[in-house]
Amino acid sequence: VRNFMYKNIFLSIFFSFIFSIGDMPKAWKMPSTYEFTKPSIIGDWSIDVNKIIDEFRLSDEYKNAGEYGELSVQMIEQIFVDMKFNFSEDKTYTIFGIPNQETGNSNFEGFWYEKNGIIHLESPDPTNVENLTFKFNGDDVLEPISKKAGNFYLLRD
């Protein structure tokens, strides 16, 4: 009788536990407002001056310059620290902070487009047909692809 009582108590606890759980939880669903968006180039960008200097210090030009190597580094910093890129939704871009002796203007404008995940900057100079090309490295870094772009990594401001 005692053994039977324990079995009944155990079964009633077991069944009450199972039925108290209710429905099994459903798989987590991502909220409909959350969407994966691809990175956007729209906005202001700066050149990663530290990257340019690091690469310059590895070059033969720097190694052979002796004491003038660090003067070149200072010139690089002065030239590129104020340079900014602004990409607009209308597929135009403006580069600010490039002194031009001929025109006195420090801005250049051109057009950009994206094709297969690659960002193409058309040259503001109509005689130059080679585009600078970049790809996204994360959301806030544009990594140069074309050799002409050199080590001009762009960082989102």
Side-chain angles (χ1 to χ4, degrees):
V1 172
R2 192 175 171 159
N3 209 7
F4 181 73
M5 246 173 55
Y6 285 128
K7 283 183 184 177
N8 283 342
I9 293 171
F10 175 73
L11 284 174
S12 62
I13 291 172
F14 179 74
F15 282 116
S16 65
F17 177 71
I18 288 179
F19 289 113
S20 69
I21 292 177
D23 293 337
M24 290 298 289
K26 295 180 180 165
W28 181 77
K29 261 182 114 176
M30 190 178 300
S32 60
T33 58
Y34 187 85
E35 296 176 9
F36 290 106
T37 58
K38 63 183 194 174
S40 171
I41 193 173
I42 306 302
D44 295 325
W45 297 75
S46 297
I47 292 178
D48 186 350
V49 178
N50 293 328
K51 188 86 158 168
I52 294 172
I53 290 172
D54 290 345
E55 292 296 322
F56 177 69
R57 285 187 171 139
L58 297 174
S59 72
D60 289 336
E61 183 180 346
Y62 176 79
K63 292 174 185 172
N64 296 330
E67 62 189 52
Y68 296 107
E70 282 306 308
L71 288 174
S72 297
V73 167
Q74 291 173 4
M75 286 176 43
I76 290 171
E77 285 176 333
Q78 290 173 359
I79 291 170
F80 295 114
V81 75
D82 292 329
M83 194 178 296
K84 303 282 183 206
F85 286 70
N86 176 271
F87 295 95
S88 300
E89 290 184 24
D90 65 357
K91 304 291 185 185
T92 61
Y93 70 90
T94 305
I95 305 173
F96 300 96
I98 304 174
N100 185 339
Q101 301 295 337
E102 294 174 18
T103 64
N105 190 1
S106 63
N107 300 341
F108 288 92
E109 296 178 351
F111 294 94
W112 68 271
Y113 64 93
E114 185 175 356
K115 184 176 181 185
N116 298 325
I118 305 296
I119 308 294
H120 299 263
L121 305 185
E122 294 179 351
S123 174
D125 180 2
T127 62
N128 186 358
V129 294
E130 185 179 348
N131 294 341
L132 297 181
T133 53
F134 296 88
K135 67 177 180 177
F136 277 100
N137 184 349
D139 290 342
D140 298 324
V141 177
L142 283 173
E143 183 178 322
I145 297 175
S146 57
K147 291 187 179 196
K148 192 169 184 179
N151 295 306
F152 293 103
Y153 286 75
L154 298 180
L155 306 176
R156 189 180 302 278
D157 282 344

